[in-house]
Amino acid sequence: MSTDGQQGVPWMDWSQHDTFPGSFEKCSLLTAVLTHAGLYILMFLGFVNQLFFKPKVATERNREGYAPLYNPFEQFYSRYVYRRVRHCFNRPICSAPGAELTLKERYTDDYNWSFRFTGTEKRCINLGSYNYLGFAEAAGPRAAAAAAALRAYGAALAAPRAELGTTPLHLELERTTAEFLGVESAIVFGMGFATNSLVLPGLLGPGALVLSDENNHASLILGLRLARVAVRVFRHNDLRQLERLARDAIAEGTWQKIVVVVEGVYSMEGSIVPLRALVALKRRLGLQLYLDEAHSVGALGARGRGVCDHAGVDPRDVDVLMGTFTKSFGAAGGYIAGSARLVKWVQAHGHAHTYAHSMAPCVAAQVLAAMRALAAPAGQARVRQLRDNTHYFRLRLREMGVLTFGHADSPVVPMLVYSFSKMAATVERLTARGLATVGVGFPATPLNKARIRFCLSAAHTREQLDECLAAVSAVADELGLRYSRAR
């Protein structure tokens, strides 16, 4: 796309557009100081540990003449900071991740270097899995459809789509996905992360400039790196800065196309892209738009069609729609959707179609069944239930005085605890009270902004949410987590 002749186009009047991405209340100065102090103390103790008690497993051997295997800071952080809270991550489960799940309990006798199972299990309310519409079920119509496909086609096709990896299920899923999204065509892949990381290099090349949100997912960042494309980063959901960057790039007169890369719902912030305003900017300056709907498709909009549905934007105004089937459809894989020309280009130039293993037929059957169910009245009831659960849970947390990030409609609800130690303590205490959730820290977040991430589901009952809120309130009192000053 040529960007010549764009000078003289009037600037956007942002007061005429809704650019609210969500709430991002700042903590008090005292909280910030104590968080940094606690982090420095933790790191100091780690340096002391490394100096005097370095375990043999942490020593590289026979590396003379070779570059170190690990970045020194990342190596130190992983061994002496992350390891202290490692028991809060990678926790195994032994059930379907529905409204409730079963944790496989474990213990360590070597300070989190290794773990052993205790032989016991714990049933918990599940606020950690991506199961927005409650389709992650061990039984029911979706599970039956997946089982039938497994019997008909086997567990895998042993080939990429470009060879012998296409079945009628894949073709039907692509037609259904395009119809569901309201676009001309779609193509599906076996892995959501790889959809971004392997498709972007085929879409972008020399002469392209990407304007990327600073909070974009790792799969997008990896895809842009593999594409070897020029990237300029703008502040999270800051369309004013994006407009300045775009106009500066247009004035340079050297770029064949300028592509804005954003997400629908940001999984660490709970924020929503101001899509209607972004599309207005795209039209005015002649930009192209790549929209990652991993966390928004199915979860947003009156019909569950994603952030386009939520914002009232024609999906055909978005050049590339990307999404995954892992969050709202209880399955795996991803898609690229848009014009037929776009899909043909991805088939010819995207590595995922040519080299990556085809989506398992049973997974395709699960997605098809879930997508068809979503179009029925019962499926629409799930969309409304998710929205009601999200609004109720966020309102109650705000009344409680804990500090949450994000948009009121986002089913991803980050609760700030700031320090690594409080994150671990919160996860431990919530688990003891029968609530399974996820703690998030560096490198997924800044060092001083650890958080607990709650993921709401249409499968949650009001009684379950009240039980979770009571547990959060008790832990907030015990650990001093009521940071919000906006009550």
Side-chain angles (χ1 to χ4, degrees):
M1 177 189 300
S2 173
T3 57
D4 294 335
Q6 293 291 338
Q7 293 84 355
V9 175
W11 286 75
M12 297 287 294
D13 180 4
W14 293 114
S15 65
Q16 302 300 311
H17 296 272
D18 179 9
T19 59
F20 177 68
S23 173
F24 293 93
E25 181 185 347
K26 295 183 181 299
C27 66
S28 67
L29 179 60
L30 177 61
T31 298
V33 170
L34 292 177
T35 299
H36 281 85
L39 178 64
Y40 296 146
I41 291 171
L42 185 63
M43 295 183 70
F44 173 76
L45 293 175
F47 281 118
V48 172
N49 196 334
Q50 179 178 245
L51 182 62
F52 294 105
F53 307 104
K54 192 171 186 178
K56 293 181 180 179
V57 296
T59 303
E60 291 185 19
R61 299 179 182 276
N62 304 317
R63 297 294 301 166
E64 292 80 6
Y66 294 93
L69 290 172
Y70 306 103
N71 173 282
F73 175 76
E74 291 178 357
Q75 185 180 47
F76 162 78
Y77 185 85
S78 176
R79 292 172 179 172
Y80 300 105
V81 180
Y82 167 75
R83 178 177 57 82
R84 294 175 180 269
V85 298
R86 186 166 167 248
H87 60 288
C88 296
F89 299 97
N90 308 312
R91 297 190 292 173
I93 68 172
C94 47
S95 70
E100 295 184 356
L101 57 70
T102 303
L103 288 175
K104 191 78 171 174
E105 295 191 305
R106 58 185 181 171
Y107 74 98
T108 178
D109 54 12
D110 57 1
Y111 305 102
N112 284 356
W113 286 105
S114 63
F115 297 95
R116 293 181 175 87
F117 290 122
T118 64
T120 59
E121 300 171 354
K122 186 175 182 63
R123 192 70 177 170
C124 296
I125 299 174
N126 180 14
L127 280 181
S129 301
Y130 306 128
N131 183 28
Y132 298 139
L133 295 177
F135 285 130
E137 304 158 314
R142 272 66 59 185
L150 182 63
R151 287 190 292 269
Y153 296 100
L157 295 176
R161 287 289 305 280
E163 296 176 4
L164 297 175
T166 298
T167 70
L169 281 174
H170 294 86
L171 300 177
E172 179 62 22
L173 176 57
E174 289 171 342
R175 287 193 294 270
T176 304
T177 300
E179 181 181 346
F180 178 82
L181 297 172
V183 294
E184 188 177 7
S185 188
I187 182 172
V188 300
F189 307 98
M191 182 182 178
F193 190 100
T195 302
N196 278 329
S197 59
L198 296 182
V199 167
L200 280 169
L203 289 176
L204 303 170
L209 171 68
V210 170
L211 303 178
S212 177
D213 189 287
E214 66 177 350
N215 285 343
N216 274 341
H217 190 262
S219 60
L220 291 168
I221 296 171
L222 177 60
L224 295 176
R225 287 176 177 172
L226 292 175
R228 297 184 178 183
V229 69
V231 178
R232 296 175 187 174
V233 178
F234 61 93
R235 288 186 298 272
H236 179 49
N237 273 342
D238 188 341
L239 299 192
R240 291 169 175 81
Q241 187 192 24
L242 173 60
E243 181 180 14
R244 289 193 295 272
L245 290 176
R247 288 181 178 274
D248 289 346
I250 291 169
E252 292 168 10
T254 59
W255 306 108
Q256 296 175 9
K257 60 182 177 182
I258 301 173
V259 183
V260 180
V261 177
V262 295
E263 297 183 42
V265 170
Y266 289 84
S267 61
M268 291 300 162
E269 313 299 324
S271 51
I272 298 177
V273 64
L275 185 62
R276 179 179 284 274
L278 179 55
V279 168
L281 175 64
K282 165 190 177 296
R283 287 174 169 173
R284 177 162 297 190
L285 297 183
L287 310 175
Q288 293 185 6
L289 179 58
Y290 184 106
L291 175 62
D292 180 338
E293 288 224 69
H295 287 269
S296 53
V297 67
L300 289 186
R303 301 173 300 144
R305 265 54 172 180
V307 72
C308 292
D309 189 16
H310 180 267
V313 168
D314 188 334
R316 292 170 295 185
D317 286 334
V318 178
D319 299 279
V320 183
L321 286 166
M322 176 271 172
T324 68
F325 301 120
T326 54
K327 281 76 178 178
S328 291
F329 301 96
Y335 64 82
I336 293 291
S339 66
R341 180 171 176 267
L342 166 70
V343 170
K344 289 178 181 178
W345 181 273
V346 172
Q347 287 176 332
H349 299 276
H351 302 307
H353 181 77
T354 306
Y355 300 110
H357 195 281
S358 175
M359 176 187 286
C362 57
V363 174
Q366 161 77 22
V367 178
L368 260 174
M371 199 171 286
R372 287 167 176 163
L374 190 53
Q380 291 300 293
R382 290 180 184 243
V383 175
R384 292 191 297 272
Q385 185 63 51
L386 174 63
R387 183 173 62 247
D388 291 345
N389 285 351
T390 297
H391 291 171
Y392 176 75
F393 196 79
R394 282 186 170 274
L395 176 62
R396 288 287 307 278
L397 287 180
R398 186 164 63 249
E399 291 173 347
M400 193 183 299
V402 297
L403 198 157
T404 58
F405 275 178
H407 195 283
D409 292 334
S410 169
V412 180
V413 187
M415 182 181 78
L416 275 290
V417 296
Y418 294 105
S419 71
F420 234 50
S421 56
K422 282 196 173 184
M423 180 200 70
T426 303
V427 171
E428 291 169 356
R429 284 156 175 77
L430 289 178
T431 302
R433 288 173 167 81
L435 172 55
T437 189
V438 174
V440 186
F442 179 84
T445 70
L447 274 168
N448 62 337
K449 288 188 178 179
R451 62 201 64 182
I452 304 298
R453 185 178 62 180
F454 302 115
C455 292
L456 280 302
S457 172
H460 290 130
T461 65
R462 186 58 56 89
E463 291 74 20
Q464 288 173 326
L465 294 182
D466 285 338
E467 185 177 341
C468 294
L469 289 162
V472 172
S473 181
V475 174
D477 286 336
E478 181 182 356
L479 299 180
L481 303 180
R482 300 183 193 270
Y483 292 113
S484 178
R485 295 171 290 172
R487 285 176 290 175

